Amino acid sequence: MSEINIAVIGAGVIGKRHMQEVANSDQCRLVAIADPSPEAEHHAGTLGVGLYKDYRKLLDTERIDAVIVCTPNSTHVEVGMACIDRGIPVLIEKPIGDDLATVRALAEAARSARVPVLVGHHRRHNPMVRAARKVISEGRIGKLVVANIMCLAYKPDDYFVVPWRRRTGGGPILINMIHEIDLIRHLCGEIVSVQAVSSSRTRAHEVEDSAACTLELENGMVANISLSDTAATPWNWDTAAGEDRQLFDYRPVPTHFFAGTNGSLSLPDSTLWSYDGEKGRHRPIQDERIPMEEENVYANQLRHFIDVVNGVVEPLIDAHDAVQTLATTLAVVEAARTGQKIQISADIRFRAGDAIA
Ligand SMILES: NC(=O)c1ccc[n+]([C@@H]2O[C@H](COP(=O)([O-])OP(=O)(O)OC[C@H]3O[C@@H](n4cnc5c(N)ncnc54)[C@H](O)[C@@H]3O)[C@@H](O)[C@H]2O)c1
C-alpha cells in the first residue's frame, strides 16, 4: 500500500513523540502540523513541514489521509469532530475528552459517518499487556478477586508551567489514572461502581495531586488504585514499564498486581505466581517469568492506526470503548468530590471485550 499522509494537531510533549514515530515509519509521512505556539513553528521548521496556527485551515488545505490529535484534553472533542466532519480518520490522544455528553456525541458522529476513531490508550499495544490479557482470559490465575495498582510519581515543577495540567479537565486522575482504569477494563472486565478520596493539599492546585479509589467489577473483582503526582517513588507504569526511556527513568519494579483464586500476576515484570499442586499459604508458591520480546508501543500504535486507516482492522480502542473508560474515570472524580459511591451507568452499550478479536 502507498504511504499515507498524516497531520499532527498539537506539537507538545506527546505530539513530538508521535511525529518521531511517523518519521521512523515507511508506511506514512508527516505533511503538516497545526499548533499556535512559537515552539511549534520552530519544530515545523526543523522538520521541513507546513505549520498552521489554526487546525481547521490545515484540514481544509492539505491532502491528508489521517490526523493525530495531541492537544490539551478539553479540546479533543472539538478537534476530533472537525476531522470526523471532513471524513478523516483520527487518532485522538487520551482522554477522548473531559465531558461525557460531548464525547458521546463524538462517538455517535463517528459511528454514523463511518469514520474510524482510535483513542491513544497506548498500553493496549504493549506485548506485556497482550500477554497478561491472554494469561487472565485463559483462566491461568483462576477467578479474578483483587487488583492493586500503584500510580505514584513525582512530576517536576516545570511540568506544571503548562496551565491546563493543573486545572479542571487536567489533573492526574484524567491524565494518569485513566490509563490504569483502561488497563483494568482491558485485562479484567467492566467496572460497575466506584468509591474514591482525593487530596490537593500538597500541590494546592485546582485539581487533585493524590487520590485513592476502589472499583467494583461486574465479575465481583475489587480493584484499588493509588495515585499521586507528588510522590517520589519508582512505583508507576511510566518508570517501571520502560515504554518511553527518552522521557522517563527506567526501573523495572512491579507496580500492578492482579490476584486470582489459582494464582497471581504482577506487571510490568510479567511474573506469574502459582502453586504446584495443593494451594495454601503454608505451601511454597512458585514464580515464573512470562517470556516476551520488547516492542516500541508507540510504533505499534502507529502501525495499528495505519491499518485502521487502510480499513484492514477495527480500532483496538474506538470512541465508544474510550467513552466507557472516560465515564469510569469521571466517576472517580465525582466519587471523590461527593464522598458517594457512584454506580457506572447501566446503559453501557460497549463491553470491554468487544473490540478484541
Ligand atoms: N498516551 C500518552 O502516552 C500520553 C502522554 C502524554 C500526554 N498525553 C495526552 O496528550 C495530550 C497532550 O498532552 P501534552 O503533555 O503533549 O501537552 P502539551 O501541553 O505538551 O502539548 C499540547 C500542545 O497543543 C497545542 N495546542 C493547544 N491548543 C491547540 C489547538 N486548538 N490547536 C492546535 N494546537 C493546540 C499547544 O500549543 C501545545 O503545543 C493530552 O490530552 C494528554 O493527556 C498522552
Side-chain angles (χ1 to χ4, degrees):
M1 278 181 209
S2 57
E3 276 189 327
I4 68 164
N5 290 336
I6 291 192
V8 171
I9 302 180
V13 173
I14 198 69
K16 290 196 185 78
R17 180 65 209 249
H18 284 293
M19 286 187 244
Q20 190 185 344
E21 296 305 337
V22 170
N24 290 340
S25 168
D26 55 11
Q27 293 178 284
C28 58
R29 67 171 159 260
L30 183 70
V31 290
I33 299 172
D35 192 314
S37 72
E39 293 81 10
E41 201 163 336
H42 174 75
H43 197 67
T46 59
L47 294 177
V49 296
L51 187 271
Y52 293 79
K53 295 207 179 292
D54 183 339
Y55 70 86
R56 288 184 197 81
K57 185 124 190 266
L58 181 159
L59 297 177
D60 291 334
T61 310
E62 299 282 346
R63 281 172 52 103
I64 41 183
D65 303 307
V67 168
I68 306 179
V69 177
C70 307
T71 53
N73 298 351
S74 62
T75 60
H76 289 179
V77 169
E78 173 199 309
V79 182
M81 278 291 202
C83 297
I84 293 166
D85 286 348
R86 291 161 177 81
I88 304 170
V90 59
L91 163 52
I92 303 178
E93 260 307 340
K94 46 51 63 177
I96 184 170
D98 63 355
D99 163 79
L100 266 189
T102 57
V103 296
R104 282 191 169 126
L106 180 141
E108 279 311 309
R111 193 203 294 268
S112 59
R114 296 176 174 276
V115 175
V117 173
L118 175 70
V119 180
H121 287 286
H122 66 273
R123 289 188 198 171
R124 294 198 187 196
H125 304 273
N126 190 319
M128 84 179 67
V129 171
R130 271 202 307 272
R133 188 168 151 92
K134 187 162 183 286
V135 162
I136 292 172
S137 68
E138 286 173 350
R140 286 178 70 190
I141 66 170
K143 179 186 180 317
L144 293 169
V145 281
V146 168
N148 215 341
I149 287 179
M150 285 182 287
C151 181
L152 305 173
Y154 194 90
K155 294 183 181 170
D157 292 346
D158 61 2
Y159 174 91
F160 297 101
V161 169
V162 180
W164 73 266
R165 294 175 174 156
R166 48 178 202 268
R167 299 207 177 121
T168 303
I173 294 179
L174 265 175
I175 294 175
N176 306 102
M177 191 191 273
I178 193 164
H179 281 300
E180 311 306 347
I181 288 176
D182 191 64
L183 191 68
I184 290 170
R185 292 187 60 239
H186 186 57
L187 295 182
C188 304
E190 211 55 85
I191 295 161
V192 293
S193 81
V194 172
Q195 295 170 80
V197 178
S198 68
S199 169
S200 54
R201 291 270 287 277
T202 304
R203 290 202 183 272
H205 290 161
E206 187 177 304
V207 289
E208 72 289 336
D209 52 62
S210 306
C213 71
T214 299
L215 315 171
E216 179 193 7
L217 274 68
E218 202 168 40
N219 58 16
M221 187 187 210
V222 179
N224 293 306
I225 307 173
S226 306
L227 169 81
S228 182
D229 64 20
T230 184
T233 91
W235 304 317
N236 61 83
W237 184 272
D238 290 334
T239 303
E243 286 175 338
D244 193 342
R245 294 177 207 173
Q246 296 167 28
L247 210 53
F248 305 115
D249 187 25
Y250 175 46
R251 296 287 168 151
V253 291
T255 50
H256 289 53
F257 303 88
F258 300 91
T261 50
N262 289 339
S264 46
L265 175 68
S266 60
L267 295 179
D269 61 320
S270 299
T271 303
L272 191 56
W273 293 86
S274 61
Y275 291 103
D276 187 11
E278 187 196 343
K279 295 185 282 183
R281 63 183 183 177
H282 58 291
R283 298 250 314 133
I285 190 160
Q286 319 283 338
D287 60 314
E288 168 195 344
R289 236 6 217 282
I290 303 170
M292 80 195 63
E293 296 292 319
E294 275 190 27
E295 292 174 14
N296 174 342
V297 292
Y298 293 101
N300 283 355
Q301 179 175 247
L302 179 63
R303 263 194 302 277
H304 173 71
F305 182 47
I306 292 167
D307 284 346
V308 167
V309 173
N310 286 327
V312 178
V313 293
E314 294 295 315
L316 186 52
I317 170 157
D318 70 4
H320 282 278
D321 196 359
V323 167
Q324 196 57 33
T325 290
L326 179 69
T328 310
T329 309
L330 290 175
V332 173
V333 176
E334 184 65 2
R337 189 184 68 79
T338 60
Q340 302 289 310
K341 178 173 177 175
I342 308 285
Q343 305 291 336
I344 310 295
S345 132
D347 75 332
I348 300 171
R349 265 168 289 154
F350 191 93
R351 321 297 290 189
D354 289 355
I356 317 301

